[in-house]
Amino acid sequence: MDGTAGVAQCPIPPGSHFTYDFTVAQSGTYWWHSHNSGQYPDGLRGPLIVNDPNSPIAGKYDKEIVMTMSDWYHEQMPSLLAAYESTSNGGAKEPLPDANLINEQTNAKISVEPGKTYLVHMINVGNFAGQAVYFDGHPFTAVEVDGVWTDPSYVGLKNIRIATGQRWSFLINTKNSTSKNYAIYTTMDVNMLEPPPGYNPNGTAWLVYDEKKPLPPPPEFATFDFFDDMSLVPSDHQPLLEPVDHRIVMNTGWADINGVPRAIINNSTYLTQKVPSLYSALTLPTQYTSNPKVYGHVNPYVLKAGDVVEIIVNNVGTLHNNLHPWHLHGHNFQTIQRSDPNTGAFSSYGNITKYPMKRDTIMANINSHVVIRFRADNPDKFFLS
């Protein structure tokens, strides 16, 4: 159970409480957040870091830094959602963030000591916008994504793209001198926002070696040189999952439903179920639990335990023809293929690596596709969003 309202449980009523009692069986970088009514973009969220004394990087760093980033709206989500889902919003235009926050603030200062190796946990806890990240003068070495340890991969001074819900962990080595401080630069992906001229999508923080020294301005970028996360190798070296037992193809799009543009998958939009899916699975007679129709208008798929499942997401034909993050609850998936922008729907496999990158959230490019695989070995019910 992971708290998804309508899937794993009913929402927690106002003034009530709910206790989650679980065994922590995996390490890495995570975050907790509400799954209901747009509450987490208004602040009901936070980082969750699980340390493992036997992790692949144990003993290879001195200290840790946790860094969240987020788009931020001065108006709260209930009114923004009402306007977004209104018939007057004919273009289904998303609300424009008012600020870009680092550690839930503007102009954050992160104190560091010289001559140390830091494990930096980055989490995009935002509502909508992906982010580009750069640490001035401090090369990265990637060691984890979405709770999956990776073979150390030198990123250098390339930019990192981090979608909503994604997490990255890096090792950085601080300078031996405290003679100056260094800027941390983030910027929301304007390709997702459709901003007006003059809009500022940037966020700034600083690695502070000496509080008495000035804070330098952030660097300026005419173009971005992104590190390709598809090159990451999971540290467990899990080989490609095959053969595929169950393939699911999801074609995304938009439809006008009662005057309101709605996102659709395979020509069907999501309508909140009256009974949570997990409750239905646990209480219905066994002859019905494998029938997708009993779970409501939620694009349900019923899988067999142990099956290797392949999901193809064709991110084409959408209203905005935009980037789109996809997150799978309850499983880490192998990312088999992520096509370049404007390459269209899936037609065939390209070069598949021996040990595909694993994570739980992937950003699909504009007018493109992604192919993921996982083994259905989690007996709980999960959710792809």
Side-chain angles (χ1 to χ4, degrees):
M1 174 177 287
D2 62 5
T4 45
V7 179
Q9 67 177 89
C10 296
I12 303 169
S16 301
H17 67 275
F18 191 98
T19 300
Y20 294 93
D21 187 354
F22 61 99
T23 300
V24 178
Q26 57 202 82
S27 62
T29 307
Y30 303 91
W31 60 303
W32 62 266
H33 55 281
S34 168
H35 282 103
N36 197 49
S37 301
Q39 292 170 336
Y40 91 74
D42 284 337
L44 192 55
R45 63 193 181 192
L48 177 63
I49 310 300
V50 182
N51 288 312
D52 180 359
N54 299 313
S55 78
I57 59 167
K60 297 181 180 179
Y61 60 94
D62 302 299
K63 295 192 173 186
E64 294 179 73
I65 294 171
V66 178
M67 184 178 126
T68 64
M69 58 201 72
S70 170
D71 46 18
W72 184 256
Y73 305 79
H74 293 164
E75 196 171 353
Q76 290 192 329
M77 283 293 129
S79 56
L80 291 176
L81 284 169
Y84 177 66
E85 296 177 343
S86 167
T87 55
S88 62
N89 188 20
K93 191 171 183 180
E94 293 83 5
L96 196 64
D98 295 293
N100 188 356
L101 304 184
I102 298 174
N103 285 350
E104 305 290 14
Q105 59 187 298
T106 57
N107 301 320
K109 299 176 184 178
I110 301 173
S111 295
V112 294
E113 297 178 12
K116 302 290 184 182
T117 298
Y118 282 81
L119 175 61
V120 182
H121 305 275
M122 291 186 196
I123 312 169
N124 187 340
V125 299
N127 173 59
F128 179 69
Q131 300 266 3
V133 185
Y134 178 83
F135 277 35
D136 191 22
H138 290 73
F140 291 147
T141 297
V143 293
E144 181 232 341
V145 287
D146 299 352
V148 178
W149 297 109
T150 70
D151 289 348
S153 182
Y154 186 70
V155 177
L157 294 175
K158 289 189 174 184
N159 301 106
I160 293 298
R161 169 173 273 164
I162 178 167
T164 298
Q166 283 187 331
R167 293 91 64 205
W168 286 77
S169 289
F170 303 95
L171 295 176
I172 65 167
N173 296 313
T174 55
K175 308 293 184 181
N176 291 322
S177 169
T178 61
S179 60
K180 61 179 293 188
N181 301 315
Y182 294 83
I184 298 172
Y185 168 90
T186 66
T187 187
M188 293 181 285
D189 198 324
V190 294
N191 296 309
M192 303 178 71
L193 298 176
E194 303 179 47
Y199 178 75
N200 182 12
N202 300 338
T204 307
W206 287 271
L207 291 177
V208 178
Y209 284 79
D210 186 343
E211 293 186 355
K212 297 179 181 179
K213 297 291 193 307
L215 300 175
E220 296 182 0
F221 292 92
T223 59
F224 293 101
D225 182 15
F226 286 112
F227 175 79
D228 184 8
D229 61 338
M230 291 289 289
S231 66
L232 295 173
V233 176
S235 63
D236 65 359
H237 288 191
Q238 182 186 54
L240 176 68
L241 292 172
E242 54 185 351
V244 172
D245 301 301
H246 191 128
R247 173 187 274 191
I248 298 170
V249 179
M250 296 183 176
N251 297 308
T252 64
W254 289 80
D256 186 295
I257 300 175
N258 298 325
V260 178
R262 300 279 190 181
I264 57 174
I265 296 176
N266 296 342
N267 296 315
S268 179
T269 195
Y270 184 97
L271 300 178
T272 303
Q273 55 273 64
K274 294 181 179 180
V275 177
S277 302
L278 181 59
Y279 293 7
S280 296
L282 293 174
T283 58
L284 284 167
T286 55
Q287 64 265 34
Y288 297 116
T289 55
S290 295
N291 184 351
K293 293 181 179 179
V294 304
Y295 297 104
H297 206 273
V298 295
N299 288 305
Y301 298 93
V302 178
L303 308 175
K304 293 181 180 179
D307 273 2
V308 172
V309 182
E310 179 175 271
I311 299 179
I312 298 170
V313 178
N314 290 315
N315 186 41
V316 298
T318 60
L319 186 65
H320 298 302
N321 195 25
N322 213 329
L323 295 157
H324 195 126
W326 291 88
H327 170 61
L328 180 64
H329 287 231
H331 296 77
N332 293 316
F333 52 73
Q334 294 183 332
T335 305
I336 307 303
Q337 188 160 298
R338 179 180 60 201
S339 69
D340 291 333
N342 298 313
T343 51
F346 174 83
S347 59
S348 62
Y349 298 106
N351 294 323
I352 300 176
T353 62
K354 184 178 181 180
Y355 307 119
M357 183 261 290
K358 291 194 296 185
R359 59 186 319 161
D360 64 28
T361 305
I362 189 71
M363 177 77 92
N365 287 314
I366 296 170
N367 185 29
S368 69
H369 64 271
V370 295
V371 183
I372 64 175
R373 285 183 194 175
F374 65 97
R375 188 176 297 280
D377 54 6
N378 186 342
D380 207 342
K381 302 300 173 285
F382 58 91
F383 187 55
L384 181 68
S385 59

